[in-house]
Amino acid sequence: MALVARILAVMTVAVAAFASTASFARPLGAKTVVVLTYDDALPSQLSTAVPALNAAGLSGVFFLSNLKPEAVEAWRAVAAEGHELANHTLFHPCLSATFSASPRNTLEAHTPQSLLEEIAQANTLLAALDGRKRHGYAMTCGQTLAGGQDYIEPLRRSGLATYARGVSASAEDLRRDIASLDRMHVPARGFAEDATAQDLIAFAEEARAGGGMAVFLFHGVGGDHLAVSEAAHAELLAWLVSHRDTIWTTTLQQAFDWSDAATAGSENP
């Protein structure tokens, strides 16, 4: 805890140093984009990740599923603090071989249509929390089949999601311009529970060298499942704050909105 406290103190100083220029309204001078995403609406995200992000002056994307009634007001506050809430379905259905779940909450039990109906219902819940009309989506378990049929293309046509984040990112993905990404297959990288701060920072460095976008996929932070340590997460945030001159840390929706505006501007000088 002492290490985390020291890291947060460094971040506070760094944020103050940037107060005169404020956070990026757009990535002027930034060489790459970093997006911090968190899946499953876990308690450690509320108790650890969100306070750390707020202390650093950074925004994250939280893909909510299996939302607990007692956490509703907390997540509404997270949205009010400037973080992005996004869709991870209501009940997080995955293929039954992935992990044990109620038979009705598996991807085998769904069709593309029934899964889209669940995504639409989750959007209604999200709108009640954040008041926004548009929401992104993250594939549950990174899987794209419902009842043995692809549901991503029907999702694209439905307009229910502004993007769909996956669970893997290749070296080639980190060299792509945001405008060239398939919004229904946004690459991301998850990390094992023993990931160090150096492992996390190396991913951002790889994207900075390639000029693309690094999308981090976290679950628990200092607790819950698939958790990275609180110290590693805090050190990553401190590093991002200290590199704000070349790295734009933002949300996925903000990154794509900026890319769309920049593209439109270049087409209409």
Side-chain angles (χ1 to χ4, degrees):
M1 290 300 295
L3 173 61
V4 174
R6 289 198 299 272
I7 290 171
L8 290 175
V10 170
M11 289 194 295
T12 300
V13 172
V15 169
F18 279 95
S20 61
T21 57
S23 59
F24 283 99
R26 56 187 185 278
L28 286 175
K31 296 181 179 178
T32 194
V33 177
V34 164
V35 180
L36 306 170
T37 74
Y38 304 80
D39 285 11
D40 301 346
L42 300 175
S44 65
Q45 294 167 7
L46 290 172
S47 64
T48 303
V50 170
L53 289 166
N54 290 344
L58 301 175
S59 297
V61 184
F62 294 88
F63 291 97
L64 306 188
S65 62
N66 289 313
L67 190 63
K68 303 295 189 295
E70 61 271 19
V72 167
E73 291 306 318
W75 285 112
R76 181 174 285 119
V78 169
E81 290 163 348
H83 303 285
E84 180 185 343
L85 303 186
N87 196 317
H88 205 33
T89 73
L90 292 175
F91 302 112
H92 201 287
C94 292
L95 295 174
S96 57
T98 307
F99 52 76
S100 179
S102 167
R104 68 176 184 171
N105 289 332
T106 65
L107 284 175
E108 288 94 337
H110 274 286
T111 64
Q113 181 58 36
S114 68
L115 189 58
L116 263 58
E117 290 170 357
E118 181 173 327
I119 292 170
Q121 291 171 340
N123 273 348
T124 299
L125 173 60
L126 290 170
L129 294 175
D130 62 16
R132 297 176 182 174
K133 296 180 179 180
R134 301 183 304 154
H135 293 93
Y137 171 75
M139 305 165 196
T140 50
C141 299
Q143 296 163 349
T144 61
L145 299 180
Q149 301 177 66
D150 173 78
Y151 74 85
I152 297 300
E153 290 311 308
L155 179 63
R156 188 196 303 273
R157 294 191 296 269
S158 74
L160 287 170
T162 56
Y163 62 80
R165 195 219 64 202
V167 300
S168 62
S170 67
E172 181 182 353
D173 291 328
L174 300 180
R175 294 191 293 270
R176 293 179 180 170
D177 183 84
I178 298 175
S180 70
L181 292 175
D182 181 348
R183 300 283 173 91
M184 289 294 109
H185 292 277
V186 178
R189 184 175 296 177
F191 292 85
E193 293 180 335
D194 60 353
T196 65
Q198 289 69 36
D199 294 329
L200 303 180
I201 291 169
F203 179 48
E205 285 278 29
E206 189 179 354
R208 184 164 65 163
M213 178 169 66
V215 181
F216 286 79
L217 192 174
F218 295 118
H219 289 84
V221 178
D224 302 316
H225 63 265
L226 299 174
V228 297
S229 73
E230 182 179 355
H233 180 262
E235 193 169 337
L236 169 66
L237 300 192
W239 184 87
L240 291 171
V241 168
S242 69
H243 290 79
R244 270 178 133 153
D245 56 336
T246 58
I247 295 177
W248 185 35
T249 304
T250 186
T251 67
L252 273 170
Q253 196 60 64
Q254 288 173 340
F256 287 136
D257 286 348
W258 173 84
S259 176
D260 290 343
T263 301
S266 65
E267 293 174 350
N268 300 286

